[in-house]
Amino acid sequence: MPEVPVQAIWKGSVSFGLVTIPVKVYAATQEKDVAFRQVHAADGGRIRYRRFCEVDGEEVAYSDIAKGYELPDGEMAVLTAEDMADLPLPTRHVVEVLEFVPAEEIDPIYVSRSYYLQADGPAAKPYVLLRDALRRTGQTALVKVALRNREALAMLRPKGDVLVLQTMLWPDEVRDASFAAPASEVEVRPQEVAMAESYIQTLETSFDPDRYHDEYRAALEVVLEAKATGHEVEAPATAAPAKGEVVDLMAALQASVDEARRQRGESAGGGAGRTAGSAAKAAKPAKSTKKAPAKKTAAKKTATKKATAKKTTTKKAAKKPAAKTAKTPARKSA
């Protein structure tokens, strides 16, 4: 049974042209992790941190802490909660639709956090109208919204029966990736690409998130339960990691295909052999493939001509001795 959000983090409206849709925003995700405390290893005592002011040396309560921005001259500009609340943001209570773009054009690297939108009050009809229109057109709404005193670019899209608001990073917050690209002179052979494609096709399936589980968290919970009950945990047997550098890339890819087939209960040898053959065949140049039938046809024609000539010679040879045999008895009679 899905967990029900208990508290909305934002209330406002979606501005869809001249249509206004009052909504409530709920966090769509939650991280499930094992929470640890920092403790003294000797006796398990909790480690506490206290906040002290470096000017007067007094401990400061959390409620007395404000945001500060250091100016170029070293002075500190203090911003209170009231100052933050009075920021001139037009998107403070409105999700402003900027434009619509195809969903596949938005790189997932820009996605930050996800939220569910719930129609507030009598807004169900325009909510459903926007949801269905986005689904039928395959478009995603690019919007601006201010959440937690910070304006963000976001996208609005349908997910099942609800609208999902996903905040995005600004373009200048995404680092340039050119430094991580391999050198341009690195080349791979067509056979290697074909084999890699075969491996991808072997594991190709539809996405089902329920197939995947957090094994680290499960193992950690086993350890914690053992600690609480005074039992020892037996470490599972793990395969030794492969050592050394991969020299034969094709062999490594072939082994990967075999292993993937084995895990799926398929025949690794036969299927993999056909895969390797298909990969090699796909990697051959198209030029040689076109010439093969021509050579075969020419050879066939030559063989046919030789066979015909041989057959004709045999017939002639057979007729010639027959003529000599007919004349010989006539001479004896004379």
Side-chain angles (χ1 to χ4, degrees):
M1 186 175 182
E3 297 181 11
V4 180
V6 294
Q7 186 176 3
I9 65 166
W10 188 88
K11 288 184 66 174
S13 61
V14 176
S15 177
F16 174 45
L18 298 179
V19 178
T20 299
I21 311 173
V23 294
K24 294 180 180 179
V25 176
Y26 298 87
T29 61
Q30 58 177 342
E31 295 184 4
K32 292 187 175 181
D33 201 355
V34 178
F36 290 101
R37 302 287 189 185
Q38 287 188 321
V39 298
H40 186 194
D43 53 21
R46 288 279 302 276
I47 303 299
R48 301 287 184 178
Y49 291 93
R50 296 180 178 180
R51 302 175 181 85
F52 289 91
C53 175
E54 65 178 15
V55 175
D56 58 19
E58 298 292 330
E59 186 175 355
V60 181
Y62 186 79
S63 58
D64 293 332
I65 296 177
K67 296 180 183 292
Y69 179 78
E70 188 172 357
L71 301 174
D73 59 1
E75 290 293 323
M76 195 69 67
V78 179
L79 297 177
T80 63
E82 290 74 17
D83 293 329
M84 299 298 295
D86 293 336
L87 289 176
L89 282 177
T91 55
R92 178 173 299 282
H93 298 292
V94 177
V95 178
E96 179 187 356
V97 176
L98 305 176
E99 55 192 8
F100 298 92
V101 298
E104 62 273 12
E105 289 187 3
I106 301 177
D107 193 319
I109 197 172
Y110 286 100
V111 178
S112 179
R113 291 184 177 274
S114 301
Y115 302 91
Y116 291 141
L117 298 190
Q118 181 187 51
D120 191 13
K125 186 171 182 177
Y127 181 101
V128 172
L129 171 66
L130 177 57
R131 181 198 67 191
D132 292 353
L134 289 173
R135 181 185 293 121
R136 290 172 65 89
T137 59
Q139 298 288 303
T140 294
L142 278 184
V143 304
K144 270 187 177 183
V145 60
L147 296 176
R148 305 185 190 279
N149 294 322
R150 189 176 187 273
E151 188 175 60
L153 186 66
M155 59 180 176
L156 193 61
R157 65 177 182 84
K159 183 183 185 303
D161 293 333
V162 302
L163 285 171
V164 176
L165 179 72
Q166 292 180 286
T167 57
M168 302 168 62
L169 300 173
W170 295 101
D172 59 356
E173 293 178 318
V174 178
R175 293 190 178 120
D176 178 55
S178 59
F179 74 93
S184 57
E185 60 268 16
V186 176
E187 294 182 0
V188 293
R189 295 180 296 163
Q191 296 93 329
E192 294 167 340
V193 176
M195 183 59 72
E197 291 175 353
S198 298
Y199 177 68
I200 292 173
Q201 291 168 1
T202 302
L203 295 182
E204 187 176 7
T205 184
S206 56
F207 177 63
D208 180 8
D210 292 332
R211 283 200 299 264
Y212 313 106
H213 306 281
D214 188 350
E215 296 180 5
Y216 174 80
R217 187 179 69 185
L220 191 57
E221 289 173 349
V222 170
V223 172
L224 293 175
E225 184 178 357
K227 285 279 188 180
T229 57
H231 293 86
E232 292 187 0
V233 180
E234 294 183 4
T238 56
K243 297 181 179 180
E245 183 181 355
V246 177
V247 178
D248 190 344
L249 188 56
M250 279 293 289
L253 289 169
Q254 181 65 69
S256 300
V257 173
D258 291 345
E259 177 63 17
R261 289 183 179 277
R262 186 190 66 77
Q263 291 181 359
R264 290 197 167 200
E266 301 176 8
S267 174
R274 286 193 296 272
T275 303
S278 302
K281 187 175 180 181
K284 286 183 180 179
K287 189 175 181 182
S288 61
T289 306
K290 291 182 179 179
K291 283 187 176 180
K295 289 181 180 179
K296 189 175 180 182
T297 305
K300 188 175 181 181
K301 287 182 178 179
T302 305
T304 305
K305 286 181 180 180
K306 286 182 179 179
T308 305
K310 186 175 182 181
K311 188 175 181 181
T312 305
T313 306
T314 305
K315 285 182 178 180
K316 287 182 178 179
K319 288 180 180 179
K320 194 171 183 181
K324 287 182 179 180
T325 305
K327 288 180 180 179
T328 304
R331 288 178 182 176
K332 286 183 178 180
S333 301

